[in-house]
């Protein structure tokens, strides 16, 4: 579990995050949503330890990040996996080499042990025949699966995903959503996903927080978000007729 208390962060005198308090549960898919400029990316980078907040604290399974020494902070960051928005694969490396990269950086395992683990996670994301291919030789959806495999190869306790469905067609996006959810549950990971994709909210939003102008405006789950009367949330969610229809159907079913 990740617990956030009264988090403040700003740049050049401008406040970006304004007293956010929330928690992200282990074994569940936790989503951060909000409009552009709401503070989602800054918040995610604070959770990753890339930005230092001016006020407040972030606690990872009972350990407050700011209270840790530099070595303990580094050890904690090694327990974090990251799926980047553009996948961020190395163009000159094969799928297998991309997935092995974190193990080469942080693991003391033998080459054969690392390869065993790499093959295990590649199989888990259903890329069995892509080991020796370059990123340019596989589809965007396959590249996302490589990014997921690389993020989990070190068996992280915390998984962070920045717009994992960016650039994908709706059907492939659902596949990626479900894969992230399955891996989260199988490995009991605390997963935090920064997204603007309402399909992701509908599919895997077990815990959702909505940010607006740096404030935590609302939190709940994928069922509750369609029933809220919070105007900022409804304006964001029901910007298309599809979600208006979903809400109407849910209300009629009550």
């Amino acid at each position: 579990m990740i617990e956030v208390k009264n988090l403040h962060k700003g740049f050049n005198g401008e406040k970006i995050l304004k007293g956010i308090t929330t928690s992200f549960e282990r074994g569940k898919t936790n989503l951060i949503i909000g409009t552009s400029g709401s503070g989602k990316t800054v918040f995610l980078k604070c959770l990753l330890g890339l930005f230092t907040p001016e006020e407040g604290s972030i606690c990872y399974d009972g350990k407050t990040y700011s209270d840790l020494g530099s070595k303990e902070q580094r050890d904690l960051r090694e327990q974090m996996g990251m799926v980047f928005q553009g996948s961020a694969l190395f163009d000159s490396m094969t799928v297998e080499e991309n997935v092995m990269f974190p193990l080469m950086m942080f693991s003391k395992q033998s080459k054969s042990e690392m390869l065993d683990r790499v093959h295990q996670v590649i199989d888990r994301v259903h890329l069995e025949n892509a080991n020796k291919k370059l990123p340019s030789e596989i589809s965007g959806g396959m590249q996302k699966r490589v990014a997921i495999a690389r993020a989990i190869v070190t068996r992280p306790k915390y998984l962070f995903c920045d717009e994992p469905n960016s650039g994908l067609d709706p059907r492939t996006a659902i596949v990626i959503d479900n894969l992230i959810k399955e891996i989260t549950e199988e490995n009991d990971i605390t997963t935090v996903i920064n997204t603007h994709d309402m399909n992701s909210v509908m599919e895997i939003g077990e815990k959702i927080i909505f940010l607006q102008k740096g404030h935590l405006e609302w939190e709940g789950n994928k069922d509750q978000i369609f029933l809220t009367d919070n105007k900022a949330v409804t304006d964001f969610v029901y910007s298309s007729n599809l979600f208006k229809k979903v809400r109407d159907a849910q209300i009629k079913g009550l």
Side-chain angles (χ1 to χ4, degrees), residues 106-174:
F106 304 118
S107 173
K108 296 179 181 178
Q109 296 176 330
S110 67
K111 182 72 175 291
S112 63
E113 288 173 327
M114 287 190 284
L115 276 172
D116 286 345
R117 176 58 181 164
V118 168
H119 294 159
Q120 182 183 36
V121 295
I122 286 176
D123 288 349
R124 177 59 192 86
V125 301
H126 310 300
L127 286 172
E128 297 87 348
N129 300 315
N131 294 48
K132 302 302 182 182
K133 293 184 177 180
L134 295 171
S136 60
E137 298 174 318
I138 59 177
S139 68
M142 293 173 74
Q143 290 177 21
K144 292 289 184 179
R145 283 188 270 163
V146 176
I148 293 170
R150 184 178 62 185
I152 65 170
V153 72
T154 57
R155 295 183 173 88
K157 293 176 66 176
Y158 314 97
L159 177 62
F160 299 94
C161 306
D162 186 18
E163 301 285 2
N165 291 335
S166 176
L168 301 181
D169 64 85
R171 181 175 294 179
T172 304
I174 290 172

Side-chain angles (χ1 to χ4, degrees), residues 212-246:
Q212 184 181 43
K213 297 180 179 179
H215 293 281
L216 176 60
E217 182 70 21
W218 180 90
E219 60 184 338
N221 60 39
K222 63 182 180 180
D223 297 319
Q224 294 166 337
I225 198 169
F226 291 106
L227 302 175
T228 181
D229 57 2
N230 184 302
K231 188 176 186 304
V233 178
T234 56
D235 285 349
F236 177 81
V237 172
Y238 303 115
S239 57
S240 75
N241 289 328
L242 169 62
F243 298 109
K244 291 177 184 176
K245 291 177 181 178
V246 171

Side-chain angles (χ1 to χ4, degrees), residues 50-118:
L50 299 177
F51 289 159
T52 301
E54 284 90 33
E55 298 179 48
S57 63
I58 306 174
C59 188
Y60 302 84
D61 291 314
K63 297 179 181 180
T64 301
Y65 187 81
S66 59
D67 291 344
L68 301 176
S70 57
K71 182 182 183 303
E72 292 172 306
Q73 288 183 348
R74 185 171 62 252
D75 291 343
L76 179 58
R77 286 197 297 269
E78 288 180 10
Q79 297 175 23
M80 299 177 182
M82 180 69 192
V83 178
F84 296 92
Q85 180 172 348
S87 298
L89 303 179
F90 296 104
D91 294 337
S92 60
M93 291 185 180
T94 64
V95 166
E96 189 175 275
E97 291 168 336
N98 266 284
V99 176
M100 189 183 290
F101 184 78
L103 293 177
M104 297 289 288
M105 291 289 292
F106 304 118
S107 173
K108 296 179 181 178
Q109 296 176 330
S110 67
K111 182 72 175 291
S112 63
E113 288 173 327
M114 287 190 284
L115 276 172
D116 286 345
R117 176 58 181 164
V118 168

Side-chain angles (χ1 to χ4, degrees), residues 16-28:
I16 305 298
L17 304 179
K18 305 168 184 176
I20 294 176
T21 296
T22 190
S23 63
F24 301 111
E25 297 181 50
R26 189 170 65 186
K28 292 188 177 180

Side-chain angles (χ1 to χ4, degrees), residues 33-53:
I33 64 172
T35 59
S36 297
S38 62
K40 301 192 306 296
T41 300
V42 172
F43 187 35
L44 190 68
K45 289 183 176 181
C46 286
L47 295 174
L48 283 161
L50 299 177
F51 289 159
T52 301

